[in-house]
Amino acid sequence: MKAPLSWLKDYVDIDISAQELAEKLFSCGFEVEELSYLGEKVNRVVVGEVKALTPHPDSDHMQICVVDCGEEYGRELQIVTGAPNVYVGMKTPCALDGSTVVESNPAMLEKNPDGIKKIKKGKLRGVESFGMLCSGEELGINDDFYPGAEVNGLLDLAKDAPVGEDIKKIVGLDDWIFDISITANRPDCQCIFGIAREVAAVMKKPFKAPDFSYTAHKTSAAPVKVEVLAPDLCPRYVGHYVENVTEGVSPAWMRKRLAVSGIRSISPIVDITNFVLLEMGQPMHAFDADDIGERKIIVRRAEKGEKIVTLDEKEFTLTPDNLVICDGKKPVALAGIMGGLNSEIKPITKNVFFESAKFARDNVRKTSRALGQSSDSSSRFEKGVDAYTNALGMDRALHLIEELGCGTVTDLCEDVCAADLTPRKMTASVAKINALLGIVVPNEEIVSILERLNFKPVIDGDTLTVEIPGYRDDVDGYPDLAEEVIRMYGYDHITPTFLQAAQVTGGGLTDAQKKELHLKNLLRVQGFSEAYNYSFYSPKDFDLMKLPEDAVERNAVRILNPISEELSVMRTFLAPSMLMNAVRNIRRGNDEGREFEIANTYLPRNTAASEQPEERKHVVLGIWGGKNDFFDMKGAVERLAEVFHLSFTYKRAEKTYLHPGVSADVILDGKTVGCIGELDPGIAASLGLDKKVYLGELDLNALDLDDGVRYKNLPKFPAVKRDLALIADEKLTCAEIEDVLMHSCKYVTEAKLFDVYRGGQVPEGKKSMAFTLTFTPDANVEKAFTPETLDGYVKKILGNLKFKLGIELR
């Protein structure tokens, strides 16, 4: 929410600096995210009057000016200009030696990336110039700030502009803009009016409300009747008929208010709707009343397949989930989002029907997301508009119509209201409020604070009775009243105390956090970067991963009110997120990389939405590009197993999203705890990937991560290695053979495959696999392994291989 200081001063007598006001706003719960000065780029630029002109001796279009910039800056400054509209007696902005202006030349922005141009005295074709005369562009303003600012030439100032005056004060740049963060529970402060109320309260100053008065004139025009068929989506609809609308230009004060807020002036009627949105926080819409069919306005749900073309000439096909404003024949507006092209205000428009309504914020948000259509009005409705402000906003708009003389306010009005506008009354215990705050706030202070906030408080003994303002839907109990009191009384009054049940602890990380940090550091050492992704993704990701319809991963928790369909289900496994990370990197030229993510997956316990899903922590790895292959992924997993004292085995995986011949399930104690492998070539082709991607995912909840140090005695004698070349069936995996090798003799500490051979003397359907076995004596062995002893171990191993797997020694 951006609020100009000059606009706030219309309602409150602010006699402190902008910085002090920012601190006061912060103290009462409104963080000023940025405080910016409008004239920051313009310095040492003053009003100058051209006293004399002389043609430049070496230029056909340049002239030598004698400029009066006042006693302080010089009465006879020589400045050379090439502006065609300069004349004797002209008052124009004069940038002095050492001044700064806005860089208006796009070609120079590369040299001056901050957008600031420095002015120094120098020579123009041999003639000295002690400054520069400026256009509106060089001040960074347009016609809405000051008339004539967009003229191709010097800015021609009013004749009464004081010579030597700082130009910022003349053209409206001497102003501060507060960019205020408004919390979700205070939609009433998403406007100048609301912030000004808070400023008045915190500064203990009177609040000067704007003028809402107007005179309604009788008319012979037929009334426009309003019917609301969806009161749950439109609790209040206020309409008013204005005739004899005239075209023209809005007054300078209104154009400047809009310009400071970043809005260009269009026409008086449109400017009034924009002004009321900014000032009162009430989105408004103006229909060309002569285009309203059958003189009816009907607020209803759209029919399936119904179409509308909005003001930006986009056509939308609607559903019953969308709320529309219709006349007697057709939709004329998307409720709370944008008007229809068929009822827009045109230069020939003579009669207007103004709309000021409250639309359900969730419906506006869903319609805006579903149609991909948004506007300033939809953004405001999504934050919340109260029914109390509807009539107030309409009254303000009608007053401005009279003030600007751009139409005649008639007595034809409609107010269809299903909302309860009766002021809510609430009682609370003063003792409870003080107990919650932990201090005693004097009763007179409580009354003073709540009066400034328009709560009409009365204290009788320990009972506080208030009447909640119609725009404060967020106040619902005594804790809310306590918050109102303390934010105005001052949080610095609270005395820090220790909670009764609290105790001092040493702090630090839990064992689980330490293990997770150890795992992260382990992966970082191997070249992995940590990634963070949303906890949800699109249902389309299940199709991308080729999951069958009955796959357990498809049983996901759906978000009731998702940001978009692309983020509508909670993650049941992390591989899709990591795949999209790899895709984005490859498409952006990062052809090689390694990433990991440690995050929760969410598995529904049953179909009841009220029951929280089961959360299981997973780690997912992604490797792509370069010389990386399957064994880089397997090596990372094996290193994890080694550090955390785990013993993994592997078997061929059958994951639809992994290559059927380059993937494996990770087994721990007979249970599958994850999988690793190359991305399925079909999926890679559909994504247009020219790099191989490898994915791995482990269920950390199924792993007993033990990162403690373990000790064992060193063997007294060295390890011995033996090579075995084995003839095995083609279908046997390396993991199956390694498992038998490792479990056939207790002294085998490593079985490493170093060669695979097919053809030649190897029978068809068979393959030769060569392993290096490492025999390590434990600390209890009293003598080194002899060749005879090793032969016995090898014989036993070969026997087990023959019996269990049908393997022969080559």
Side-chain angles (χ1 to χ4, degrees):
M1 165 64 198
K2 293 189 176 181
L5 179 61
S6 60
W7 202 343
L8 292 174
K9 286 183 175 180
D10 286 352
Y11 314 113
V12 186
D13 180 18
I14 299 174
D15 53 5
I16 57 177
S17 69
Q19 291 75 14
E20 290 173 307
L21 180 57
E23 291 178 5
K24 283 190 174 291
L25 284 169
F26 181 76
S27 71
C28 66
F30 296 94
E31 180 185 1
V32 178
E33 294 183 333
E34 184 181 9
L35 179 60
S36 55
Y37 185 57
L38 270 183
E40 181 180 10
K41 296 180 180 180
V42 179
N43 287 294
R44 282 181 56 79
V45 181
V46 300
V47 176
E49 183 177 358
V50 179
K51 291 294 188 181
L53 290 174
T54 306
H56 194 292
D58 295 328
S59 174
D60 293 335
H61 71 281
M62 288 187 178
Q63 299 192 67
I64 304 169
C65 309
V66 176
V67 183
D68 179 5
C69 290
E71 198 67 42
E72 183 179 352
Y73 304 109
R75 292 289 185 182
E76 295 184 348
L77 291 180
Q78 178 173 290
I79 296 177
V80 179
T81 182
N85 64 332
V86 65
Y87 61 89
V88 174
M90 181 184 202
K91 288 188 176 179
T92 190
C94 180
L96 305 169
D97 180 30
S99 63
T100 61
V101 296
V102 176
E103 179 57 76
S104 57
N105 185 353
M108 296 298 292
L109 286 176
E110 187 172 331
K111 182 180 178 182
N112 301 317
D114 57 359
I116 297 176
K117 179 179 181 179
K118 296 179 181 177
I119 305 300
K120 296 180 179 179
K121 66 179 181 180
K123 290 186 177 181
L124 289 176
R125 296 195 179 184
V127 177
E128 277 197 308
S129 181
F130 292 88
M132 183 181 76
L133 303 182
C134 302
S135 66
E137 190 176 17
E138 284 148 344
L139 301 179
I141 62 174
N142 56 34
D143 284 345
D144 292 337
F145 273 89
Y146 198 91
E150 296 179 51
V151 169
N152 183 24
L154 301 180
L155 176 58
D156 195 352
L157 300 174
K159 299 306 178 186
D160 60 353
V163 170
E165 182 68 83
D166 188 337
I167 196 64
K168 294 193 287 284
K169 296 179 180 179
I170 302 297
V171 299
L173 291 177
D174 188 25
D175 202 356
W176 291 87
I177 307 296
F178 296 81
D179 191 349
I180 305 171
S181 174
I182 307 297
T183 53
N185 66 319
R186 293 302 305 274
D188 59 295
C189 289
Q190 292 279 356
C191 60
I192 304 297
F193 189 72
I195 289 295
R197 277 191 303 234
E198 296 294 321
V199 170
V202 75
M203 291 186 64
K204 301 181 181 179
K205 297 269 190 175
F207 177 67
K208 297 176 286 187
D211 196 343
F212 297 100
S213 64
Y214 65 90
T215 302
H217 300 271
K218 289 194 174 294
T219 179
S220 58
V224 177
K225 294 296 183 183
V226 175
E227 185 178 4
V228 178
L229 301 182
D232 56 323
L233 302 182
C234 178
R236 192 178 190 188
Y237 190 100
V238 179
H240 210 112
Y241 187 79
V242 176
E243 60 187 5
N244 303 323
V245 171
T246 58
E247 277 291 298
V249 179
S250 299
W253 64 266
M254 178 175 281
R255 297 203 311 274
K256 188 174 292 186
R257 287 279 181 263
L258 295 174
V260 169
S261 302
I263 298 177
R264 289 299 305 261
S265 174
I266 298 174
S267 68
I269 294 296
V270 176
D271 289 353
I272 285 171
T273 60
N274 287 331
F275 186 87
V276 171
L277 173 62
L278 295 172
E279 183 187 44
M280 306 300 300
Q282 175 61 56
M284 299 191 68
H285 186 67
F287 299 98
D288 187 325
D290 296 329
D291 289 336
I292 299 177
E294 300 180 9
R295 307 290 282 187
K296 288 182 181 178
I297 287 290
I298 302 171
V299 185
R300 60 169 174 82
R301 288 175 168 84
E303 296 174 2
K304 186 175 182 180
E306 198 167 24
K307 297 181 183 294
I308 186 173
V309 178
T310 51
L311 289 170
D312 54 1
E313 300 184 3
K314 294 180 182 177
E315 184 178 69
F316 297 98
T317 302
L318 308 177
T319 71
D321 293 330
N322 309 134
L323 187 68
V324 289
I325 313 298
C326 305
D327 61 13
K329 300 176 181 179
K330 60 191 178 300
V332 293
L334 268 176
I337 298 177
M338 190 173 289
L341 190 63
N342 53 16
S343 62
E344 68 171 334
I345 301 298
K346 301 174 283 293
I348 60 172
T349 296
K350 294 300 179 185
N351 304 302
V352 167
F353 187 75
F354 272 98
E355 166 194 282
S356 177
K358 172 181 171 64
F359 299 117
R361 66 174 78 182
D362 57 336
N363 180 261
V364 174
R365 181 172 59 250
K366 289 176 181 177
T367 297
S368 177
R369 301 293 187 275
L371 299 180
Q373 182 78 336
S374 63
S375 63
D376 290 339
S377 292
S378 68
S379 175
R380 187 65 186 81
F381 276 118
E382 287 176 27
K383 294 179 175 71
V385 171
D386 57 83
Y388 168 84
T389 307
N390 298 155
L392 211 59
M394 179 63 79
D395 291 346
R396 181 62 173 155
L398 298 177
H399 168 81
L400 291 171
I401 288 172
E402 279 196 344
E403 183 177 337
L404 271 60
C406 58
T408 303
V409 180
T410 74
D411 58 351
L412 298 181
C413 61
E414 292 281 318
D415 188 350
V416 180
C417 184
D420 184 6
L421 299 181
T422 306
R424 291 183 296 141
K425 291 192 175 183
M426 187 174 72
T427 59
S429 166
V430 176
K432 275 190 173 184
I433 291 174
N434 286 330
L436 184 61
L437 298 176
I439 60 174
V440 176
V441 182
N443 285 2
E444 57 271 19
E445 192 65 38
I446 292 176
V447 171
S448 174
I449 290 170
L450 294 177
E451 280 180 345
R452 298 200 303 271
L453 293 171
N454 302 320
F455 278 85
K456 300 179 181 178
V458 175
I459 292 181
D460 184 7
D462 183 53
T463 302
L464 169 65
T465 304
V466 297
E467 185 177 293
I468 302 172
Y471 53 84
R472 292 300 303 274
D473 293 337
D474 60 304
V475 177
D476 196 37
Y478 83 90
D480 296 318
L481 291 178
E483 180 185 0
E484 295 301 300
V485 169
I486 195 60
R487 70 187 185 90
M488 290 295 168
Y489 188 55
Y491 290 100
D492 54 333
H493 285 90
I494 295 178
T495 304
T497 57
F498 210 56
L499 295 173
Q500 293 181 356
Q503 58 182 352
V504 178
T505 65
L509 302 177
T510 64
D511 287 341
Q513 291 170 330
K514 289 177 182 177
K515 290 177 181 178
E516 184 173 316
L517 182 60
H518 191 175
L519 174 57
K520 290 181 178 181
N521 289 333
L522 170 68
L523 292 170
R524 291 190 189 103
V525 168
Q526 297 181 76
F528 288 86
S529 298
E530 186 172 6
Y532 286 90
N533 294 296
Y534 285 120
S535 296
F536 23 77
Y537 42 45
S538 170
K540 295 177 183 177
D541 288 343
F542 298 140
D543 298 327
L544 174 66
M545 306 300 270
K546 296 184 176 181
L547 297 180
E549 290 300 323
D550 59 349
V552 294
E553 292 91 346
R554 283 186 179 270
N555 184 23
V557 178
R558 292 197 65 86
I559 307 298
L560 293 178
N561 187 25
I563 298 173
S564 71
E565 184 63 21
E566 299 302 312
L567 298 169
S568 61
V569 295
M570 303 296 290
R571 296 192 292 183
T572 54
F573 68 125
L574 307 182
S577 298
M578 184 54 68
L579 171 59
M580 297 317 297
N581 285 5
V583 170
R584 279 189 291 270
N585 275 280
I586 292 171
R587 288 176 177 173
R588 294 172 186 176
N590 299 324
D591 293 336
E592 181 179 358
R594 296 184 174 201
E595 285 188 359
F596 76 92
E597 181 185 11
I598 298 175
N600 284 343
T601 58
Y602 302 86
L603 309 177
R605 300 179 191 274
N606 54 42
T607 56
S610 59
E611 189 170 355
Q612 295 297 313
E614 177 188 1
E615 298 183 29
R616 297 187 68 83
K617 185 155 287 188
H618 282 208
V619 58
V620 62
L621 309 178
I623 300 177
W624 64 88
K627 297 181 179 179
N628 294 304
D629 60 19
F630 171 81
F631 295 101
D632 289 285
M633 178 64 73
K634 185 169 181 280
V637 172
E638 289 181 336
R639 178 59 181 155
L640 181 154
E642 180 184 355
V643 169
F644 289 98
H645 311 297
L646 302 171
S647 180
F648 289 152
T649 57
Y650 305 89
K651 71 174 183 180
R652 189 183 300 275
E654 296 181 355
K655 295 290 185 182
T656 56
Y657 57 89
L658 296 179
H659 192 303
V662 193
S663 58
D665 285 332
V666 182
I667 313 296
L668 177 65
D669 298 333
K671 295 182 179 179
T672 301
V673 296
C675 63
I676 56 175
E678 180 187 332
L679 180 66
D680 178 75
I683 297 176
S686 69
L687 293 169
L689 299 179
D690 59 353
K691 311 290 181 191
K692 288 187 176 181
V693 176
Y694 299 90
L695 300 172
E697 185 165 352
L698 298 175
D699 181 355
L700 293 181
N701 283 36
L703 308 181
D704 182 15
L705 297 182
D706 178 8
D707 60 351
V709 179
R710 294 184 180 182
Y711 300 91
K712 66 177 181 179
N713 292 328
L714 294 174
K716 298 177 182 178
F717 303 98
V720 181
K721 295 187 177 183
R722 283 285 185 94
D723 292 342
L724 296 178
L726 308 173
I727 300 295
D729 286 341
E730 188 68 53
K731 65 181 181 179
L732 288 175
T733 65
C734 179
E736 290 174 312
I737 299 172
E738 282 185 353
D739 185 56
V740 175
L741 290 172
M742 294 296 294
H743 289 87
S744 294
C745 176
K746 68 177 182 179
Y747 295 117
V748 176
T749 54
E750 184 182 32
K752 187 174 183 180
L753 176 72
F754 67 87
D755 183 56
V756 178
Y757 175 73
R758 295 177 178 84
Q761 299 175 353
V762 179
E764 187 176 350
K766 302 284 186 176
K767 57 186 175 182
S768 172
M769 303 179 72
F771 290 87
T772 296
L773 302 184
T774 302
F775 296 86
T776 306
D778 59 32
N780 297 323
V781 175
E782 295 297 331
K783 61 180 180 179
F785 289 142
T786 64
E788 293 76 17
T789 302
L790 288 176
D791 288 342
Y793 294 154
V794 170
K795 184 177 181 179
K796 180 180 177 183
I797 291 169
L798 292 174
N800 277 338
L801 289 171
K802 173 71 174 175
F803 177 73
K804 294 182 177 180
L805 302 177
I807 292 176
E808 299 280 356
L809 182 66
R810 181 178 174 185

